[in-house]
Amino acid sequence: MSTTLGDVRSRAVAMGKVADILQARGEMEEALRIRREEELPVYERLGDVRSLLVGRANLALLYLQRGRPEDRNLAAELLRLALTSAEALRLPEAVQIRDIQRHFGL
């Protein structure tokens, strides 16, 4: 049985929603794992720049919420990458990403 690109992307979107639920429940480690291993790699492979930048911003927020010492640098880098893509595509998400960076002093 073959899997279409749409199926692959739909699964990644669904996994992102699962990560949102886990994050809301405080299950940060599993939410982080899903975003890093099951969601973002799909967007990278598909070349879905917008979904990738949104996913990176969501992952950054997860790291900031978890709050380990190394998380701040990881979040800053993810937000920088997301902002670069958003600005290159002239997407409105750039404003939100800048606001997150300012809010967290990144």
Side-chain angles (χ1 to χ4, degrees):
M1 180 175 186
S2 69
T3 305
T4 68
L5 293 178
D7 292 340
V8 171
R9 187 183 183 290
S10 292
R11 183 179 188 289
V13 170
M15 292 310 295
K17 290 177 183 177
V18 169
D20 290 340
I21 293 166
L22 291 169
Q23 181 178 358
R25 290 182 179 174
E27 296 179 40
M28 300 302 170
E29 297 309 312
E30 184 62 9
L32 283 165
R33 186 196 68 73
I34 288 171
R35 290 219 189 271
R36 278 191 315 252
E37 297 174 17
E38 297 189 41
E39 184 184 13
L40 293 184
V42 171
Y43 299 144
E44 287 173 355
R45 279 194 310 274
L46 295 177
D48 185 344
V49 179
R50 185 177 181 281
S51 295
L52 181 58
L53 76 89
V54 170
R56 284 176 171 160
N58 288 333
L59 181 57
L61 288 170
L62 248 172
Y63 278 126
L64 291 167
Q65 187 176 351
R66 184 174 74 168
R68 290 186 183 167
E70 67 275 14
D71 290 348
R72 190 169 173 78
N73 288 336
L74 292 168
E77 178 61 14
L78 287 164
L79 289 170
R80 186 191 65 73
L81 291 169
L83 181 60
T84 299
S85 295
E87 287 175 339
L89 296 173
R90 299 175 187 229
L91 295 174
E93 285 85 349
V95 174
Q96 294 171 296
I97 295 166
R98 276 193 228 93
D99 287 345
I100 294 167
Q101 288 173 320
R102 268 194 298 279
H103 178 78
F104 288 98
L106 303 171

XYZ file of all heavy atoms in Angstrom:
837
model
N 0.844 -1.181 0.000
C 0.000 0.000 0.000
C 0.886 1.239 0.000
O 1.736 1.399 0.858
C -0.888 -0.044 1.251
C -1.814 1.111 1.393
S -2.858 0.805 2.832
C -3.927 2.174 2.672
N 0.705 2.115 -0.954
C 1.547 3.302 -1.025
C 0.929 4.441 -0.224
O -0.276 4.509 -0.022
C 1.738 3.729 -2.481
O 0.513 4.209 -2.993
N 1.794 5.314 0.221
C 1.370 6.469 0.988
C 1.604 7.714 0.150
O 2.700 7.923 -0.349
C 2.191 6.560 2.299
O 2.048 5.328 2.996
C 1.694 7.673 3.174
N 0.585 8.536 0.008
C 0.742 9.764 -0.765
C 1.366 10.842 0.097
O 1.369 10.760 1.336
C -0.620 10.271 -1.289
O -1.405 10.697 -0.175
C -1.353 9.199 -2.065
N 1.890 11.877 -0.560
C 2.461 13.000 0.173
C 1.419 13.656 1.071
O 1.728 14.088 2.175
C 3.046 14.029 -0.799
C 4.258 13.583 -1.594
C 4.703 14.692 -2.542
C 5.392 13.173 -0.687
N 0.188 13.707 0.589
C -0.894 14.267 1.402
C -1.120 13.477 2.674
O -1.364 14.056 3.737
N -1.031 12.146 2.573
C -1.180 11.298 3.752
C -0.056 11.558 4.747
O -0.287 11.629 5.951
C -1.153 9.815 3.369
C -2.357 9.372 2.559
O -3.395 10.064 2.603
O -2.244 8.334 1.877
N 1.148 11.678 4.231
C 2.311 11.914 5.086
C 2.167 13.256 5.803
O 2.380 13.358 7.008
C 3.613 11.872 4.243
C 4.813 12.316 5.055
C 3.833 10.472 3.691
N 1.776 14.287 5.059
C 1.605 15.608 5.655
C 0.456 15.596 6.658
O 0.573 16.165 7.752
C 1.355 16.664 4.583
C 1.342 18.055 5.177
C 1.031 19.146 4.151
N 1.101 20.444 4.776
C 0.221 20.889 5.666
N -0.794 20.157 6.055
N 0.367 22.097 6.190
N -0.647 14.943 6.322
C -1.795 14.867 7.230
C -1.421 14.189 8.542
O -1.856 14.610 9.615
C -2.951 14.106 6.580
O -3.470 14.836 5.507
N -0.598 13.156 8.459
C -0.156 12.476 9.676
C 0.711 13.406 10.515
O 0.585 13.456 11.735
C 0.609 11.199 9.352
C 1.006 10.438 10.613
C 1.747 9.142 10.336
N 1.943 8.364 11.528
C 2.768 8.661 12.531
N 3.478 9.762 12.499
N 2.876 7.881 13.584
N 1.589 14.176 9.874
C 2.440 15.112 10.603
C 1.596 16.182 11.299
O 1.853 16.533 12.456
C 3.453 15.761 9.665
N 0.582 16.676 10.608
C -0.325 17.668 11.205
C -1.031 17.056 12.418
O -1.127 17.678 13.482
C -1.337 18.186 10.165
C -2.436 19.014 10.817
C -0.622 19.002 9.091
N -1.511 15.822 12.265
C -2.187 15.141 13.369
C -1.245 14.943 14.553
O -1.640 15.139 15.715
C -2.743 13.798 12.903
N 0.001 14.576 14.269
C 0.971 14.393 15.350
C 1.255 15.722 16.054
O 1.457 15.756 17.270
C 2.256 13.762 14.813
C 2.092 12.326 14.348
S 1.271 11.212 15.530
C 2.457 11.189 16.857
N 1.257 16.813 15.305
C 1.412 18.130 15.920
C 0.277 18.432 16.881
O 0.495 19.000 17.956
N -0.934 18.018 16.517
C -2.084 18.216 17.411
C -1.961 17.347 18.660
O -2.313 17.782 19.765
C -3.386 17.939 16.664
C -3.677 19.011 15.631
C -4.917 18.722 14.823
C -5.092 19.813 13.768
N -6.224 19.592 12.902
N -1.459 16.139 18.487
C -1.202 15.271 19.645
C -0.175 15.945 20.560
O -0.342 15.966 21.785
C -0.719 13.873 19.195
C -0.202 13.060 20.375
C -1.831 13.130 18.472
N 0.872 16.509 19.974
C 1.890 17.202 20.771
C 1.273 18.383 21.526
O 1.619 18.623 22.686
C 3.040 17.672 19.879
N 0.357 19.107 20.880
C -0.336 20.213 21.564
C -1.082 19.719 22.798
O -1.029 20.339 23.867
C -1.345 20.885 20.626
C -0.705 21.678 19.505
O 0.485 22.046 19.613
O -1.408 21.942 18.507
N -1.777 18.590 22.654
C -2.538 18.026 23.774
C -1.609 17.585 24.893
O -1.841 17.877 26.069
C -3.419 16.850 23.289
C -4.515 17.382 22.364
C -4.010 16.074 24.471
C -5.233 16.311 21.564
N -0.531 16.904 24.518
C 0.435 16.454 25.525
C 1.047 17.642 26.255
O 1.222 17.610 27.477
C 1.521 15.603 24.872
C 1.054 14.245 24.349
C 2.142 13.610 23.496
C 0.654 13.328 25.497
N 1.364 18.697 25.506
C 1.930 19.900 26.112
C 0.938 20.498 27.116
O 1.324 20.869 28.229
C 2.276 20.919 25.032
C 2.890 22.195 25.569
C 3.263 23.164 24.451
O 3.100 22.872 23.273
N 3.781 24.312 24.827
N -0.324 20.572 26.747
C -1.349 21.123 27.637
C -1.494 20.281 28.906
O -1.803 20.812 29.974
C -2.689 21.211 26.905
N -1.230 18.990 28.787
C -1.299 18.087 29.943
C -0.011 18.099 30.770
O 0.082 17.404 31.780
C -1.542 16.657 29.480
C -2.903 16.405 28.922
C -3.024 14.953 28.554
N -4.328 14.630 28.027
C -4.650 13.457 27.519
N -3.759 12.486 27.470
N -5.850 13.249 27.053
N 0.995 18.813 30.288
C 2.258 18.866 31.004
C 3.207 17.731 30.669
O 4.227 17.561 31.334
N 2.899 16.962 29.631
C 3.750 15.845 29.223
C 4.765 16.342 28.189
O 4.695 16.025 27.005
C 2.888 14.704 28.673
C 1.956 14.116 29.717
C 1.078 13.013 29.187
O 1.564 12.185 28.384
O -0.109 12.971 29.569
N 5.717 17.150 28.676
C 6.655 17.863 27.800
C 7.586 16.949 27.023
O 7.847 17.204 25.846
C 7.511 18.841 28.608
C 6.736 19.889 29.322
S 5.758 20.848 28.181
C 4.784 21.753 29.312
N 8.104 15.918 27.657
C 9.091 15.073 26.982
C 8.505 14.386 25.751
O 9.124 14.357 24.694
C 9.688 14.048 27.942
C 10.472 14.662 29.097
C 11.509 15.676 28.649
O 12.291 15.390 27.715
O 11.542 16.775 29.237
N 7.301 13.847 25.887
C 6.682 13.180 24.747
C 6.270 14.200 23.680
O 6.415 13.942 22.484
C 5.475 12.345 25.195
C 4.834 11.546 24.085
C 5.732 10.501 23.418
O 6.848 10.219 23.896
O 5.312 9.963 22.378
N 5.791 15.352 24.098
C 5.443 16.410 23.139
C 6.685 16.854 22.364
O 6.637 17.018 21.138
C 4.804 17.591 23.860
N 7.804 17.016 23.063
C 9.061 17.387 22.404
C 9.489 16.312 21.413
O 9.892 16.611 20.290
C 10.170 17.613 23.442
C 10.127 18.923 24.207
C 11.032 18.855 25.426
C 10.510 20.080 23.313
N 9.407 15.065 21.835
C 9.814 13.958 20.967
C 8.980 13.942 19.683
O 9.529 13.824 18.582
C 9.673 12.611 21.696
C 10.222 11.442 20.887
C 9.735 10.100 21.405
N 8.311 9.900 21.210
C 7.728 9.655 20.022
N 8.445 9.576 18.922
N 6.412 9.487 19.932
N 7.697 14.088 19.824
C 6.816 14.067 18.647
C 7.174 15.199 17.699
O 7.299 14.995 16.493
C 5.338 14.129 19.071
C 4.928 12.795 19.683
C 4.448 14.490 17.885
C 3.565 12.807 20.341
N 7.334 16.400 18.232
C 7.656 17.538 17.362
C 9.006 17.333 16.667
O 9.125 17.568 15.472
C 7.679 18.839 18.159
C 6.306 19.257 18.620
C 6.094 20.735 18.524
N 4.864 21.130 19.158
C 3.685 21.180 18.559
N 3.570 20.840 17.299
N 2.618 21.558 19.216
N 10.005 16.896 17.420
C 11.363 16.727 16.863
C 11.449 15.566 15.884
O 12.117 15.663 14.857
C 12.374 16.472 17.996
C 12.868 17.672 18.719
C 14.051 17.313 19.624
N 13.833 16.102 20.383
C 13.599 16.058 21.694
N 13.569 17.142 22.403
N 13.405 14.912 22.287
N 10.816 14.436 16.207
C 11.031 13.199 15.459
C 9.925 12.856 14.466
O 10.188 12.139 13.501
C 11.203 12.032 16.441
C 12.419 12.186 17.338
C 12.519 11.104 18.397
O 11.849 10.054 18.247
O 13.249 11.304 19.375
N 8.704 13.313 14.708
C 7.588 12.881 13.865
C 6.942 14.006 13.065
O 6.304 13.737 12.059
C 6.529 12.183 14.714
C 7.062 10.914 15.368
C 5.977 10.106 16.040
O 4.890 9.988 15.456
O 6.232 9.607 17.156
N 7.079 15.235 13.517
C 6.422 16.341 12.822
C 7.406 17.114 11.935
O 7.268 17.127 10.712
C 5.764 17.278 13.839
C 4.988 18.393 13.189
C 4.408 19.384 14.173
O 4.791 19.386 15.372
O 3.576 20.185 13.733
N 8.413 17.722 12.537
C 9.323 18.579 11.770
C 10.059 17.859 10.643
O 10.176 18.415 9.547
C 10.323 19.271 12.700
C 9.727 20.303 13.661
C 10.828 20.979 14.456
C 8.880 21.325 12.949
N 10.547 16.626 10.844
C 11.237 15.962 9.733
C 10.359 15.789 8.488
O 10.858 15.847 7.362
C 11.639 14.602 10.317
C 11.720 14.831 11.788
C 10.631 15.834 12.084
N 9.060 15.599 8.682
C 8.155 15.448 7.537
C 8.083 16.756 6.756
O 8.191 16.770 5.532
C 6.749 15.010 8.009
C 5.743 15.074 6.864
C 6.804 13.605 8.597
N 7.916 17.869 7.464
C 7.846 19.167 6.787
C 9.155 19.472 6.060
O 9.137 20.040 4.975
C 7.514 20.279 7.772
C 6.179 20.103 8.467
C 6.015 20.477 9.793
C 5.081 19.555 7.814
C 4.796 20.335 10.438
C 3.864 19.392 8.454
C 3.727 19.789 9.765
O 2.519 19.640 10.400
N 10.273 19.072 6.674
C 11.568 19.273 6.018
C 11.643 18.468 4.730
O 12.041 18.981 3.686
C 12.712 18.885 6.962
C 12.930 19.876 8.088
C 13.957 19.405 9.108
O 14.448 18.254 9.006
O 14.270 20.187 10.012
N 11.267 17.191 4.791
C 11.318 16.325 3.605
C 10.388 16.816 2.502
O 10.721 16.728 1.326
C 10.951 14.882 3.970
C 12.077 14.092 4.562
C 11.791 12.601 4.587
N 10.509 12.232 5.150
C 10.263 12.030 6.456
N 11.234 12.169 7.341
N 9.065 11.680 6.868
N 9.221 17.315 2.889
C 8.248 17.780 1.907
C 8.575 19.176 1.362
O 7.971 19.608 0.387
C 6.841 17.801 2.518
C 6.243 16.458 2.906
C 4.886 16.656 3.572
C 6.110 15.546 1.695
N 9.500 19.864 2.031
C 9.799 21.236 1.624
C 8.669 22.195 1.957
O 8.511 23.237 1.314
N 7.886 21.873 2.969
C 6.755 22.698 3.408
C 7.291 23.760 4.375
O 7.281 23.584 5.589
C 5.708 21.807 4.072
C 4.436 22.546 4.447
O 4.443 23.794 4.487
O 3.431 21.867 4.719
N 7.763 24.857 3.805
C 8.470 25.883 4.582
C 7.568 26.514 5.635
O 7.992 26.731 6.774
C 9.066 26.959 3.645
C 9.768 28.042 4.431
C 10.026 26.314 2.661
N 6.331 26.814 5.282
C 5.438 27.469 6.237
C 5.148 26.557 7.428
O 5.249 26.967 8.585
C 4.124 27.885 5.585
C 3.247 28.669 6.557
C 1.957 29.162 5.900
N 1.177 29.907 6.855
C 0.411 29.352 7.802
N 0.351 28.039 7.917
N -0.277 30.091 8.632
N 4.790 25.294 7.172
C 4.528 24.363 8.274
C 5.785 24.140 9.106
O 5.708 24.008 10.331
C 4.007 23.029 7.735
O 2.750 23.206 7.128
N 6.930 24.114 8.452
C 8.187 23.930 9.168
C 8.469 25.106 10.094
O 8.833 24.913 11.251
C 9.341 23.745 8.171
C 10.719 23.507 8.785
C 10.736 22.280 9.683
C 11.762 23.373 7.674
N 8.266 26.323 9.624
C 8.557 27.472 10.489
C 7.567 27.545 11.650
O 7.956 27.859 12.776
C 8.616 28.779 9.695
C 7.339 29.456 9.224
C 6.784 30.412 10.250
C 7.622 30.218 7.942
N 6.312 27.205 11.417
C 5.333 27.177 12.510
C 5.698 26.064 13.499
O 5.663 26.264 14.714
C 3.900 26.992 11.958
C 2.909 26.707 13.081
C 3.472 28.223 11.168
N 6.083 24.908 12.984
C 6.499 23.808 13.851
C 7.723 24.151 14.678
O 7.808 23.804 15.859
N 8.679 24.849 14.065
C 9.871 25.278 14.814
C 9.501 26.247 15.922
O 10.030 26.161 17.037
C 10.885 25.915 13.870
C 11.634 24.907 13.037
C 12.565 25.580 12.055
N 13.418 24.592 11.410
C 14.049 24.808 10.268
N 13.925 25.959 9.622
N 14.811 23.863 9.755
N 8.593 27.177 15.630
C 8.163 28.122 16.664
C 7.447 27.388 17.797
O 7.685 27.675 18.978
C 7.261 29.195 16.053
N 6.610 26.423 17.452
C 5.923 25.635 18.480
C 6.910 24.835 19.319
O 6.767 24.749 20.544
C 4.894 24.696 17.847
C 3.686 25.426 17.330
O 3.330 26.499 17.817
N 3.040 24.866 16.325
N 7.910 24.259 18.677
C 8.940 23.516 19.402
C 9.712 24.455 20.321
O 10.005 24.111 21.469
C 9.877 22.809 18.415
C 11.005 21.967 19.016
C 10.484 20.895 19.956
C 11.830 21.337 17.897
N 10.025 25.641 19.845
C 10.726 26.631 20.672
C 9.906 26.965 21.914
O 10.452 27.035 23.030
C 11.008 27.896 19.861
N 8.610 27.165 21.740
C 7.753 27.466 22.892
C 7.723 26.316 23.886
O 7.704 26.531 25.098
C 6.343 27.813 22.419
C 6.212 29.167 21.731
C 4.844 29.306 21.079
C 6.458 30.301 22.710
N 7.750 25.102 23.378
C 7.812 23.928 24.252
C 9.103 23.924 25.064
O 9.089 23.677 26.268
C 7.753 22.660 23.396
C 6.528 21.785 23.478
C 6.576 20.694 22.431
C 6.316 21.215 24.836
N 10.218 24.191 24.401
C 11.494 24.258 25.119
C 11.455 25.351 26.184
O 11.905 25.146 27.314
C 12.653 24.535 24.158
C 13.179 23.315 23.441
C 13.272 23.288 22.053
C 13.616 22.197 24.137
C 13.771 22.178 21.382
C 14.118 21.090 23.482
C 14.194 21.085 22.108
O 14.696 19.988 21.457
N 10.910 26.507 25.842
C 10.839 27.599 26.812
C 9.941 27.234 27.985
O 10.236 27.579 29.133
C 10.357 28.887 26.130
C 11.365 29.492 25.159
C 10.702 30.553 24.291
C 12.565 30.072 25.907
N 8.874 26.502 27.719
C 7.978 26.069 28.792
C 8.655 25.035 29.676
O 8.508 25.067 30.890
C 6.693 25.506 28.199
C 5.644 25.186 29.241
C 4.338 24.716 28.623
O 4.146 24.771 27.411
N 3.431 24.249 29.453
N 9.428 24.132 29.069
C 10.127 23.116 29.862
C 11.166 23.773 30.763
O 11.284 23.418 31.931
C 10.768 22.070 28.955
C 11.414 20.939 29.759
C 11.915 19.829 28.900
N 13.127 20.221 28.195
C 13.912 19.385 27.538
N 13.608 18.102 27.479
N 14.979 19.798 26.909
N 11.920 24.718 30.205
C 12.778 25.565 31.025
C 14.092 25.005 31.542
O 14.621 25.522 32.512
N 14.631 24.000 30.914
C 15.971 23.536 31.316
C 17.013 24.544 30.867
O 16.776 25.307 29.933
C 16.265 22.176 30.692
C 15.449 21.064 31.279
C 15.892 19.729 30.718
N 15.060 18.656 31.222
C 15.037 17.438 30.727
N 15.820 17.133 29.709
N 14.253 16.525 31.236
N 18.205 24.538 31.484
C 19.229 25.532 31.116
C 19.568 25.552 29.626
O 19.708 26.618 29.039
C 20.448 25.118 31.952
C 19.876 24.391 33.124
C 18.625 23.709 32.611
N 19.654 24.391 28.992
C 20.011 24.330 27.573
C 18.839 24.684 26.648
O 19.037 24.962 25.462
C 20.550 22.942 27.214
C 19.540 21.814 27.302
C 19.344 21.171 28.674
O 19.800 21.738 29.696
O 18.726 20.102 28.731
N 17.637 24.688 27.187
C 16.440 24.915 26.363
C 16.367 26.322 25.783
O 15.864 26.517 24.684
C 15.171 24.639 27.172
C 14.978 23.163 27.473
O 15.691 22.330 26.872
O 14.123 22.847 28.314
N 16.856 27.302 26.498
C 16.782 28.687 26.036
C 17.551 28.877 24.725
O 17.062 29.506 23.787
C 17.303 29.613 27.126
C 17.060 31.060 26.865
C 17.377 31.877 28.131
N 17.298 33.275 27.826
C 16.167 33.961 27.718
N 15.017 33.356 27.911
N 16.177 35.244 27.425
N 18.750 28.304 24.648
C 19.544 28.413 23.416
C 18.899 27.655 22.251
O 18.912 28.137 21.115
C 20.971 27.916 23.637
C 21.778 28.871 24.481
O 21.494 30.062 24.549
N 22.794 28.346 25.147
N 18.347 26.475 22.546
C 17.654 25.713 21.504
C 16.457 26.506 20.981
O 16.236 26.597 19.769
C 17.184 24.361 22.054
C 18.276 23.358 22.405
C 17.697 22.196 23.193
C 18.933 22.849 21.129
N 15.691 27.092 21.894
C 14.518 27.879 21.506
C 14.927 29.095 20.690
O 14.295 29.409 19.672
C 13.741 28.305 22.749
N 15.991 29.771 21.109
C 16.450 30.965 20.388
C 16.828 30.614 18.949
O 16.485 31.346 18.012
C 17.630 31.600 21.115
N 17.521 29.502 18.757
C 17.930 29.087 17.413
C 16.715 28.706 16.557
O 16.626 29.080 15.388
C 18.912 27.915 17.493
C 19.360 27.380 16.144
C 20.094 28.392 15.267
O 20.519 29.447 15.760
O 20.236 28.117 14.054
N 15.777 27.970 17.124
C 14.567 27.598 16.386
C 13.770 28.832 15.975
O 13.279 28.921 14.851
C 13.700 26.667 17.234
C 14.227 25.247 17.387
C 13.526 24.542 18.538
C 14.053 24.471 16.091
N 13.658 29.802 16.873
C 12.927 31.034 16.556
C 13.660 31.841 15.491
O 13.033 32.434 14.615
C 12.699 31.866 17.812
C 11.690 31.276 18.798
C 11.713 32.040 20.109
C 10.286 31.253 18.206
N 14.986 31.848 15.551
C 15.760 32.555 14.531
C 15.507 31.936 13.153
O 15.272 32.645 12.169
C 17.255 32.519 14.870
C 18.111 33.358 13.917
C 19.595 33.108 14.104
N 19.989 31.746 13.769
C 20.068 31.247 12.532
N 19.767 31.979 11.492
N 20.445 29.995 12.326
N 15.552 30.608 13.079
C 15.289 29.916 11.810
C 13.869 30.188 11.312
O 13.652 30.441 10.124
C 15.502 28.409 11.973
C 16.937 27.939 12.183
C 16.951 26.476 12.600
C 17.762 28.168 10.941
N 12.906 30.124 12.231
C 11.512 30.357 11.857
C 11.320 31.790 11.354
O 10.644 32.018 10.345
C 10.594 30.086 13.055
N 11.934 32.745 12.038
C 11.796 34.147 11.638
C 12.425 34.395 10.276
O 11.840 35.082 9.426
C 12.419 35.069 12.688
C 12.314 36.568 12.387
C 10.863 37.008 12.263
C 13.036 37.361 13.469
N 13.588 33.830 10.037
C 14.253 33.981 8.740
C 13.350 33.496 7.610
O 13.190 34.177 6.591
C 15.593 33.217 8.735
O 16.431 33.763 9.756
C 16.297 33.327 7.399
N 12.726 32.333 7.799
C 11.827 31.790 6.780
C 10.578 32.657 6.621
O 10.147 32.934 5.507
C 11.405 30.366 7.141
O 12.519 29.504 7.122
N 10.009 33.080 7.733
C 8.782 33.894 7.678
C 9.039 35.218 6.976
O 8.219 35.679 6.172
C 8.241 34.120 9.086
N 10.191 35.819 7.268
C 10.525 37.091 6.615
C 10.794 36.890 5.127
O 10.368 37.699 4.305
C 11.725 37.737 7.300
C 11.392 38.304 8.656
C 12.589 38.853 9.407
O 13.747 38.472 9.104
O 12.367 39.659 10.319
N 11.482 35.818 4.782
C 11.778 35.543 3.369
C 10.497 35.357 2.562
O 10.419 35.781 1.407
C 12.665 34.310 3.242
N 9.496 34.752 3.180
C 8.222 34.515 2.502
C 7.212 35.648 2.733
O 6.093 35.580 2.232
C 7.619 33.188 2.978
C 8.418 31.944 2.636
C 7.809 30.715 3.310
C 8.475 31.741 1.131
N 7.625 36.631 3.516
C 6.755 37.769 3.862
C 5.439 37.310 4.474
O 4.357 37.774 4.107
C 6.516 38.648 2.645
C 7.807 39.234 2.117
C 7.599 40.008 0.851
N 8.896 40.383 0.326
C 9.202 41.599 -0.059
N 8.332 42.561 -0.005
N 10.416 41.847 -0.522
N 5.551 36.396 5.414
C 4.375 35.861 6.097
C 4.072 36.656 7.367
O 4.997 37.116 8.041
C 4.603 34.392 6.471
C 4.769 33.421 5.314
C 5.131 32.036 5.834
C 3.495 33.353 4.483
N 2.800 36.770 7.724
C 2.439 37.500 8.938
C 2.959 36.841 10.216
O 3.062 37.512 11.249
C 0.903 37.522 8.912
C 0.509 36.449 7.959
C 1.638 36.286 6.987
N 3.312 35.573 10.152
C 3.858 34.885 11.320
C 5.143 35.537 11.829
O 5.515 35.378 12.992
C 4.113 33.408 11.013
C 2.875 32.552 10.947
C 2.187 32.550 9.573
O 2.530 33.372 8.699
O 1.291 31.708 9.391
N 5.839 36.288 10.961
C 7.083 36.957 11.371
C 6.832 37.879 12.558
O 7.652 37.939 13.484
C 7.685 37.729 10.196
N 5.702 38.572 12.558
C 5.370 39.480 13.665
C 5.210 38.692 14.958
O 5.740 39.082 16.001
C 4.091 40.291 13.341
C 3.646 41.116 14.537
C 4.312 41.174 12.126
N 4.505 37.583 14.902
C 4.301 36.754 16.091
C 5.625 36.207 16.620
O 5.838 36.169 17.832
C 3.362 35.583 15.775
C 1.954 36.008 15.439
C 1.138 34.838 14.938
O 1.436 34.270 13.885
N 0.113 34.469 15.680
N 6.478 35.792 15.710
C 7.768 35.234 16.137
C 8.611 36.310 16.804
O 9.218 36.073 17.851
C 8.505 34.588 14.944
C 7.695 33.380 14.433
C 9.918 34.164 15.334
C 8.118 32.864 13.079
N 8.638 37.508 16.223
C 9.374 38.620 16.853
C 8.808 38.920 18.236
O 9.563 39.196 19.167
C 9.338 39.867 15.976
C 10.397 39.871 14.907
C 10.533 41.260 14.271
N 10.532 41.117 12.838
C 9.477 41.198 12.021
N 8.300 41.479 12.486
N 9.604 41.011 10.734
N 7.491 38.875 18.360
C 6.856 39.116 19.671
C 7.305 38.060 20.697
O 7.576 38.392 21.855
C 5.329 39.096 19.551
C 4.773 40.330 18.861
O 5.513 41.339 18.712
O 3.588 40.288 18.450
N 7.373 36.803 20.280
C 7.842 35.738 21.181
C 9.286 36.000 21.585
O 9.638 35.892 22.763
C 7.712 34.358 20.506
C 6.240 34.003 20.270
C 8.401 33.271 21.336
C 6.021 32.815 19.340
N 10.125 36.359 20.613
C 11.528 36.642 20.919
C 11.643 37.780 21.935
O 12.411 37.684 22.891
C 12.299 37.001 19.641
C 12.530 35.820 18.732
C 13.131 36.225 17.399
O 12.753 37.246 16.817
N 14.073 35.429 16.906
N 10.886 38.831 21.720
C 10.919 39.977 22.659
C 10.425 39.563 24.035
O 11.040 39.919 25.041
C 10.061 41.126 22.118
C 10.822 42.119 21.277
C 10.044 43.410 21.050
N 8.799 43.216 20.320
C 8.706 43.107 19.003
N 9.773 43.190 18.250
N 7.536 42.942 18.431
N 9.319 38.850 24.065
C 8.730 38.445 25.336
C 9.709 37.648 26.200
O 9.764 37.817 27.404
C 7.455 37.634 25.084
C 6.803 37.137 26.337
N 6.041 37.958 27.150
C 6.820 35.927 26.939
C 5.623 37.256 28.187
N 6.070 36.023 28.076
N 10.473 36.787 25.553
C 11.412 35.931 26.277
C 12.834 36.495 26.303
O 13.758 35.842 26.772
C 11.406 34.511 25.706
C 10.157 33.753 26.041
C 9.113 33.666 25.121
C 10.011 33.136 27.271
C 7.951 32.964 25.441
C 8.857 32.443 27.591
C 7.821 32.366 26.668
N 13.011 37.700 25.762
C 14.336 38.308 25.760
C 15.343 37.568 24.900
O 16.515 37.481 25.237
N 14.882 37.028 23.777
C 15.754 36.291 22.869
C 16.049 37.193 21.698
O 16.477 36.995 20.715
C 15.083 34.985 22.423
C 14.669 34.039 23.556
C 13.836 32.891 23.015
C 15.890 33.495 24.273
